[in-house]
Amino acid sequence: MSEIYPAPDPDNEIEGESEEIDLVTAVNRTLHQEMEREASVRMIGYDIGPIGGVFRATQGLLEEYGEERVIDTPLAENGILGTAVGMAMAGERVVPEIQFMGFSYPAFGQFMYAMAKMYDRTAGSIELPMTLRMAYGGGVKALEYHQESTETYYAHTPGVRVVCPSTPYQAKGLLAASIRDDDPVVFLEPKRIYRGGSQEVPTEEYTLPLDEARLVREGEDVTVLTWGAMVRHAVAASDAVDADVEIVDMRSLAPLDVETVLESVKKTGRCVVLHEARRSLGLGAELSALVNEYALDRLKAPVKRATGYDVHFPGHDIEDDYLPDAERAQYAIEAVMNYEF
Amino acid sequence: MVEWTEHEPPEGQYQVLDAEGALDGDPPAFEEDELVGMYRTMVATRTLEEKMLKMQQSGEASLVARSRGEEATPLGCAAALAPDDWVFYTYRQNPALLYWDYPMDNLIAGSIGAEPETIEEELGPVEAGVNFSPDYTPVGVNTTNAVGMAMADKFNDRDTVSMAFIGDGSTSEGAFHDAMNFAGVFEPPVVIVCQNNQWAISEPSHRQTGSETFAQKGEAYGVPHERVDGNDIFAVREKAEEAVERARNGDGPTFIECVTYRMEEHNTSDNPDVYRDPEEQREKWEDRDPLDRYETYLREEEILDDDLAEEIAAELDEEVSEAVEAARGVPDSEPERMFDHHLHGDSWAQAHQRTELEREQSGKNPFTDFTGEGFDE
């Protein structure tokens, strides 16, 4: 069950020219497009220059836009984020890159003190139009702190959007929207599916709405709430179970699209949250709480969370045992389907 | 050899006015208006801060941090700037704010604790001679932001200068080192001023570093650095002007250590008698008070006399009283203001929680929505 299935994208009705690209290429295309479109867009981070980022997400940007717009920095996450805040205060539209989400903790000071707080602190007079890009998530047999998904730390903070694409089409539209947004955005790139499947994506620029979840598949029996690399597992699981599954790709982890969540769960009466982050106090806890608070009398079963465990991300040999996959999702779906009050 | 200056005022630093207020270098080339203006700013700071101290003691203001004894540093540095420049400050730079006509009523209102939205609505937007960032409470954070803004200015060929103020304690924070390193690498037009007042709350300078001076930290980052008598307004201003000029000419950053002394508590929640000897403090540092020294000079030069000093004092008493009254006129913030300015637009959670708060405020139960679609009455 560990095979990665392509996720369908009902939003993707392409008119005009398109190309078949993977997610990291979609990110790269978008960065090119946004830098071309708007002179104030600058990238800042390390390894983003000549090598084009360790995942090649920034490939070709330095050559095209020069070292004052693609700023290769010392290895200092707090410095990257802090100077990005200063540039944004000066009116630039800055796209800092933190190479791996697990490297972002030194930058947490700037994230909390400046990036998330400046707009509130100045009664709205200073805006920070920044998009903090981070590769996140497991399943690529990497080293420690290269694999985890700790999006809850960011989503728990007021004053920022947290956005996560699940397909190349989503990546391009959501990243363009994030860069053009006047609020700070944390943009999480599920690196496991950076090259995990291609899809026809319009060559023209487009944006997708922030703050909105996406209905991946309609169903009547059970709602699966998920995002990022887990969307594909939800699709595979729903193909495998004897139930009509509705899949919601949250896309926006902060603010949450509560209306879509409640509408779906009230319709199906059952809910599974599928995420690869640790379970306790994760976003699954928040989603479960929302369903409990506002849709209890529609529930035919308790909400179940198919997630990673409350442990440090384990070593290579057992990471597949840690990570939720289609099988774990299927178990959760079957459990809530078979539950009787 | 390391000499810990928290007990012993240092010797051999750059000075124009000696400790007695006599010229110990080239006379400054300021017009009389400017000389009196700087004096006025120092007196204004003391008048304002003494008033705010009383407001704190009577329970009106929450916390007050005073600059007494170190006014020459923020004043001399900020006065070297020009309109359109930026100041990234913390909580001990009132002289910089007042020099550039930051409205006193706004400053006071902030310490009384109103939300920034409410203050702005009541007192109008802040208009000052240079741009001030919001004041930073967490130490060191402002340095990287100042460097980033200066980098953006450099990339855009603007000749704007960014100046950040930190204390000696901030040099222990990672952010300071990030900022200095980026400043050395990208050479942006930034001036980072370390107001070495010898104490980071109760921790003395020698707990912040094993270096002989704070200035020499610039060496490791390739950032030009200066060490100045921070209680000598002329020396501070001269070195700051050199740094600002260097930045404006495209020659990159400067790190300035201004050696001064925090005569009073860190802020009004602090009791320095527990960790330092007040007698020793008076004996060794009070003689070097920046205002006394400067006043002595101005009187020697016959720029200031009793009449003018009294006139200035009276004006400032009046100005501070009016500002206090204006600040008192700022109403308490409406509770729902806490939801303002987090993100553009309104999320479901934001709207829902605001309604919950409103219900709680009006004595209604905020927990009666069981569908997500609205509250039962």
Side-chain angles (χ1 to χ4, degrees), chain A residues 42 68 71-72 78-79 82-83 86-87 92 110 113 118-121 123-124 127 159 161 183 255 258 266 294, chain B residues 134-136 138 141 144-145 148-149 151 155-156 178 182 186 340-342 344 347-348 352 369-373:
Chain A
R42 293 177 199 275
E68 292 191 350
I71 307 159
D72 242 333
N78 196 55
T83 50
M87 286 184 211
E92 304 301 291
Q110 281 295 333
Y113 296 139
M118 193 67 71
Y119 184 57
D120 173 67
R121 188 79 173 72
E127 293 180 332
R161 294 195 152 76
D183 292 317
V258 178
K266 283 178 189 175
Y294 300 110
Chain B
D135 58 325
Y136 284 77
V141 174
T144 52
N145 295 176
M149 178 170 282
M151 284 168 67
F155 298 148
N156 285 296
D178 288 329
F182 275 54
F186 295 104
D340 292 352
H341 296 117
H342 290 282
H344 293 83
S347 65
W348 185 93
H352 207 81
D369 177 10
F370 293 99
T371 63
E373 282 156 12

Side-chain angles (χ1 to χ4, degrees), chain A residues 204-220:
Chain A
E204 295 247 309
E205 58 181 68
Y206 61 94
T207 59
L208 291 169
L210 304 176
D211 304 354
E212 284 183 21
R214 168 177 79 104
L215 204 57
V216 178
R217 168 178 295 194
E218 285 189 69
E220 297 295 327

Side-chain angles (χ1 to χ4, degrees), chain B residues 280-294:
Chain B
E280 181 187 45
Q281 160 197 321
R282 298 261 178 283
E283 206 178 294
K284 298 272 174 61
W285 284 90
E286 212 162 41
D287 294 346
R288 303 166 65 91
D289 183 273
L291 179 55
D292 290 350
R293 274 160 84 175
Y294 187 44

